[in-house]
Amino acid sequence: MTPWLIIVGIGEDGYAGLGKAARRALLDAVEVIGAPRQLELLPPCVRANRRAWPSPFSLEPVLRRRGQSTCVLASGDPMLFGVGASLARQLPSSEMRVLPAPSSASLAAARLGWALQDCTLLSLVARPLAALNAHLRHGAKLLVLSNDGTSPAAVAALLRERGFGASRISVLEHLGGEAERRIDGLAADWVQAETAALNLLALDCVAGEGARRLPLTTGLADGCYRHDGQLTKRDVRAVTLARLAPMPGELLWDVGAGCGSIGIEWMRAHPTCRTLAIEANDGRQQHIAFNRDALGVPALQLVCGAAPEALRGLERPDAIFIGGGVTVPGVVEHCWEQLKPGGRLVANAVTLQSEATLVSWRERIGGELTRIAIAQAQPLGGFDAWRAALPITLLEVWKPC
């Protein structure tokens, strides 16, 4: 079918910077929808009806015109954190034609002399600042779409707090336009309280002596978490996550989440992984909220309540971890029922009673039981001796498709 919707990427250089196809689309358009700033870039020769996006933002003005000739303006590349990507989730590609302009990331890399494939692109537009914590590593090059003119100062403060004060910051304002400007400095010395609202941040990350260096692997050090003792310890956590086997885009239920360590490291495995952390204890809920921000996954969703009641009505998961509550009637039953076909359930037990429950469930639904025994060398007088932690019984079972 002929596309009824044309999405035009437009830069700070406005109509003059558009290609022939984009100009023709705008000249032929009946309705053009965009941000007021973008609409003002159009010359009088574009005679289409101009409509600004509603506030709060909604795609409804475009979707209600489905089948009617419509043109949408987007900043730079519409498919890079742009409205084009949002519309593509609502409409088949056969109904759209996308005409991109160079993205702000491409322009920034060109100005800085950075290889774009070596950079990590992030967005703070309507997103928590804490999401940066997952990407702070020595030598990392980050291109960050700012939410507004206060974002550079907020990012600089975060870098200082995390021990990355030696990192170089470049603020690139109005890329590609007449008002383009670049501000350079170190996070440790940053004093600019506010910049132009339209800006991109380039961060060349340098870790100081006090920086916490978080690995990409699972099994973060126990000291990375704030907790009250309800923590799946490092080595057991690494084994547990290996059995849960996170894949991009999958949803985990972390039942009896404690301080949230399993759900947090599930989400750190890939940016699109999601977690619902179910926890009844008020103090532990606070630990989860702190830990998810400190470790860079503020999108982790906390479900306050006790299983199985708190599980009712939740989105069905691809994987489930039961870290506490396996002996509570109805918990395992409900989890197994709601687990998607092809999903996996992993449950850990410490007590004899919870272990007996896992043995019973293995007889009913199959799976694999594993005993995990960890011992660490600790001082004993003037010598060292092995101190064994309580053994963990782990049940892993995959639900048939």
Side-chain angles (χ1 to χ4, degrees):
M1 64 177 295
T2 302
W4 60 271
L5 175 62
I6 300 180
I7 306 174
V8 174
I10 190 168
E12 283 288 291
D13 51 359
Y15 189 78
L18 297 179
K20 183 182 295 185
R23 291 189 185 191
R24 175 49 55 194
L26 288 167
L27 291 172
D28 293 344
V30 175
E31 179 112 341
V32 177
I33 301 173
R37 177 183 61 82
Q38 296 164 342
L39 295 172
E40 291 172 3
L41 295 173
L42 300 182
C45 60
V46 177
R47 300 184 180 278
N49 179 48
R50 305 182 187 193
R51 182 185 301 274
W53 291 110
S55 181
F57 179 81
S58 169
L59 297 177
E60 190 270 339
V62 176
L63 298 178
R64 73 166 176 240
R65 290 184 54 82
R66 189 170 186 177
Q68 305 176 61
S69 178
T70 306
C71 195
V72 165
L73 292 177
S75 296
D77 186 343
M79 305 306 291
L80 187 67
F81 290 110
V83 70
S86 299
L87 286 164
R89 288 190 284 267
Q90 303 287 329
L91 299 168
S93 59
S94 60
E95 297 187 26
M96 302 188 310
R97 185 183 180 199
V98 181
L99 302 173
S103 70
S104 57
S106 294
L107 293 174
R111 303 293 189 269
L112 295 161
W114 288 4
L116 193 55
Q117 70 271 16
D118 295 336
C119 302
T120 298
L121 178 61
L122 305 167
S123 176
L124 293 180
V125 179
R127 291 173 172 86
L129 179 66
L132 282 182
N133 286 329
H135 302 276
L136 297 182
R137 298 181 187 88
H138 184 77
K141 285 183 165 54
L142 308 180
L143 297 176
V144 184
L145 304 178
S146 288
N147 188 56
D148 54 32
T150 66
S151 294
V155 169
L158 177 67
L159 290 169
R160 292 193 296 269
E161 178 187 340
R162 303 289 294 190
F164 283 79
S167 301
R168 174 159 290 279
I169 298 177
S170 296
V171 180
L172 299 138
E173 302 175 336
H174 297 289
L175 277 163
E178 293 181 0
E180 181 174 323
R181 184 174 71 143
R182 174 173 168 177
I183 307 169
D184 295 304
L186 297 180
D189 305 326
W190 195 264
V191 294
Q192 188 106 10
E194 192 163 356
T195 65
L198 187 64
N199 74 82
L200 179 144
L201 275 165
L203 308 179
D204 191 354
C205 297
V206 178
E209 289 185 8
R212 177 181 287 176
R213 304 192 183 203
L214 299 176
L216 295 174
T217 54
T218 57
L220 298 180
D222 294 344
C224 292
Y225 293 96
R226 179 183 290 180
H227 62 91
D228 61 1
Q230 292 298 310
L231 167 70
T232 302
K233 298 297 175 61
R234 179 181 192 172
D235 298 298
V236 175
R237 192 183 328 127
V239 173
T240 300
L241 281 153
R243 300 301 183 97
L244 285 167
M247 296 289 287
E250 290 190 329
L251 172 66
L252 171 76
W253 282 5
D254 186 358
V255 181
C259 70
S261 62
I262 294 293
I264 287 169
E265 294 192 28
W266 168 277
M267 290 185 66
R268 283 175 57 85
H270 192 272
T272 61
C273 286
R274 298 179 294 136
T275 293
L276 296 178
I278 299 92
E279 178 53 56
N281 182 280
D282 290 343
R284 291 169 192 161
Q285 291 167 13
Q286 295 176 29
H287 291 326
I288 293 171
F290 175 85
N291 291 330
R292 68 183 176 187
D293 286 352
L295 295 170
V297 290
L300 179 147
Q301 291 182 257
L302 178 57
V303 179
C304 302
E309 291 78 12
L311 304 176
R312 306 192 193 285
L314 300 181
E315 180 182 350
R316 294 184 68 187
D318 302 284
I320 298 175
F321 172 64
I322 308 177
V326 294
T327 59
V328 176
V331 169
V332 182
E333 289 88 344
H334 187 79
C335 286
W336 184 248
E337 177 186 338
Q338 291 302 306
L339 183 64
K340 290 180 181 178
R344 52 270 184 213
L345 183 148
V346 174
N348 288 357
V350 178
T351 67
L352 291 174
Q353 290 77 13
S354 55
E355 182 182 83
T357 300
L358 296 189
V359 172
S360 173
W361 270 96
R362 178 174 176 266
E363 293 174 353
R364 294 172 57 180
I365 61 176
E368 179 180 320
L369 282 173
T370 302
R371 172 66 64 87
I372 305 172
I374 305 291
Q376 292 181 317
Q378 296 182 0
L380 181 63
F383 300 91
D384 292 319
W386 292 110
R387 297 283 188 184
L390 290 172
I392 304 292
T393 299
L394 179 150
L395 173 66
E396 173 197 0
V397 55
W398 290 65
K399 192 171 185 179
C401 294

